[in-house]
Amino acid sequence: MAHMMNASEHAVRAGEIAETLFNTPGALAPEPVTVLAYPDGAGRLARREALRPVYEAIVARIGAPTLLGGSASGPSVRWCTRERILLLSGDHTHAELSVHDADRFVDEEWKTFDRTKPGRKGQPHAFDALPYTWQLDRKGPGNATSWTFNGIFVAGSWDHAVTGLELMLAAWVEQYPVQAPGDWIGFNLWTARDWRRDMIVSYTPADHGRELAVCIHDRGSEQTAERQAQMGERGWHTLTDHQWWRTELPETDPDGPRLIAELMIAECRARRATCPDELRAHDISAGDNGDLWLTGLGLPTHPSRGEHF
């Protein structure tokens, strides 16, 4: 009878494959090697916990990655040398390892970013075509390429803006706690027509309270029963004594990323924003550690931290 590998054996095998691919001079894997298959119908938390021991086994074998990150469908973690890139990637069915010529890989990846268009209103979105939607450089070992694409991919409609935010938040919940255990991640969102007020969105994967949260300071508005009903209709849950409206959803809520995304865009539109290009994401950070790029956010970003517009 064939032996069925358990989770620990899958992890050990993944570490061995990663070590062989990464440390064999000149080795390239023309076809990706599957290191983990998810059960049918596994949700984002189940996939996350299945990948965790595999990821940890790979790191134990070959060291920390050069670049952390993920796409709309799975991880996008890189171990880089000047000649080769070992990539841990996948989708909602599996995770895989592949080795690539560094120059050729980053050149093709940059072309994919450059050629991918966000899609106009009524057209399909293209967030799932991006090689990565978030990438975090914590100055890990190896040589991060200077060709890394960190441009702006702006949604062509409000519906697409919601989709981009939803996919980004869902990716954080599934991918980030494995790669950066315990750290928070988030950004501030500013709109041109209400420029003195920021919305703050974050994901906190620490054990004391894993949740997606968004808040906004509603100063200048009298908190009448009508106003509170209005804010509740948009999706806000609680009002603090200092006039901050907050919504917090547990990571276990499968609809959490969508609900937070819908709330954020509804609030921006209620504050007179007319298109996604009038918004700006800034103070983008992952635990105040490293350079975080949100290539798949779907909104314009401001690279400087702590500046006011």
Side-chain angles (χ1 to χ4, degrees), residues 94-114:
H94 74 289
E96 62 190 27
L97 288 166
S98 55
V99 179
H100 308 267
D101 175 86
D103 290 339
R104 186 178 303 117
F105 179 82
V106 298
D107 182 57
E108 289 301 318
E109 189 171 71
W110 194 94
K111 289 178 181 177
T112 299
F113 272 115
D114 192 49

Side-chain angles (χ1 to χ4, degrees), residues 116-140:
T116 301
K117 305 304 178 186
R120 298 179 181 177
K121 184 177 181 179
Q123 295 178 337
H125 72 82
F127 293 104
D128 50 0
L130 299 178
Y132 52 87
T133 59
W134 68 276
Q135 188 172 84
L136 177 58
D137 183 358
R138 285 186 163 170
K139 311 306 177 186

Side-chain angles (χ1 to χ4, degrees), residues 4-18:
M4 299 294 290
M5 287 192 294
N6 58 33
S8 177
E9 290 171 321
H10 273 296
V12 171
R13 175 178 172 271
E16 292 171 347
I17 292 171

Side-chain angles (χ1 to χ4, degrees), residues 60-306:
R61 283 275 186 158
I62 64 174
T66 309
L67 295 168
L68 306 176
S71 69
S73 56
S76 181
V77 186
R78 295 118 191 271
W79 289 260
C80 306
T81 70
R82 295 189 185 279
E83 296 79 25
R84 292 176 296 134
I85 293 176
L86 176 67
L87 176 68
L88 174 64
S89 59
D91 56 23
H92 293 171
T93 66
H94 74 289
E96 62 190 27
L97 288 166
S98 55
V99 179
H100 308 267
D101 175 86
D103 290 339
R104 186 178 303 117
F105 179 82
V106 298
D107 182 57
E108 289 301 318
E109 189 171 71
W110 194 94
K111 289 178 181 177
T112 299
F113 272 115
D114 192 49
R115 294 169 179 169
T116 301
K117 305 304 178 186
R120 298 179 181 177
K121 184 177 181 179
Q123 295 178 337
H125 72 82
F127 293 104
D128 50 0
L130 299 178
Y132 52 87
T133 59
W134 68 276
Q135 188 172 84
L136 177 58
D137 183 358
R138 285 186 163 170
K139 311 306 177 186
N143 302 100
T145 173
S146 60
W147 287 91
T148 297
F149 182 90
N150 288 311
I152 297 173
F153 183 89
V154 180
S157 69
W158 288 122
D159 286 345
H160 286 181
V162 170
T163 298
L165 284 165
E166 177 186 356
L167 291 174
M168 178 70 67
L169 296 174
W172 286 355
V173 171
E174 179 172 343
Q175 301 157 12
Y176 187 67
V178 172
Q179 301 178 41
D183 282 356
W184 56 267
I185 186 170
F187 61 92
N188 290 4
L189 187 61
W190 165 93
T191 178
R193 296 174 188 265
D194 192 19
W195 66 273
R196 292 185 180 275
R197 192 189 323 269
D198 272 344
M199 200 181 316
I200 304 171
V201 61
S202 64
Y203 170 54
T204 307
D207 290 338
H208 64 269
R210 297 182 175 183
E211 64 184 16
L212 290 164
V214 61
C215 63
I216 192 167
H217 195 192
D218 200 34
R219 64 182 181 275
S221 297
E222 185 180 355
Q223 297 302 316
T224 62
E226 181 181 9
R227 177 61 173 175
Q228 294 190 39
Q230 183 183 61
M231 296 295 280
E233 288 173 2
R234 292 180 200 166
W236 295 105
H237 288 177
T238 59
L239 175 65
T240 72
D241 293 338
H242 299 287
Q243 272 188 259
W244 282 88
W245 280 97
R246 292 184 60 86
T247 292
E248 301 170 351
L249 296 175
E251 65 171 15
T252 52
D253 185 344
D255 296 323
R258 175 181 58 81
L259 294 173
I260 293 290
E262 290 175 345
L263 167 57
M264 292 175 66
I265 296 303
E267 187 63 33
C268 290
R269 298 184 72 177
R271 295 183 185 275
R272 305 184 306 281
T274 63
C275 64
D277 199 43
E278 290 187 344
L279 312 182
R280 292 292 184 276
H282 66 104
D283 281 358
I284 299 167
S285 182
D288 288 329
N289 181 7
D291 298 319
L292 174 63
W293 304 92
L294 302 183
T295 49
L297 181 62
L299 302 174
T301 61
H302 192 278
S304 299
R305 296 167 55 100

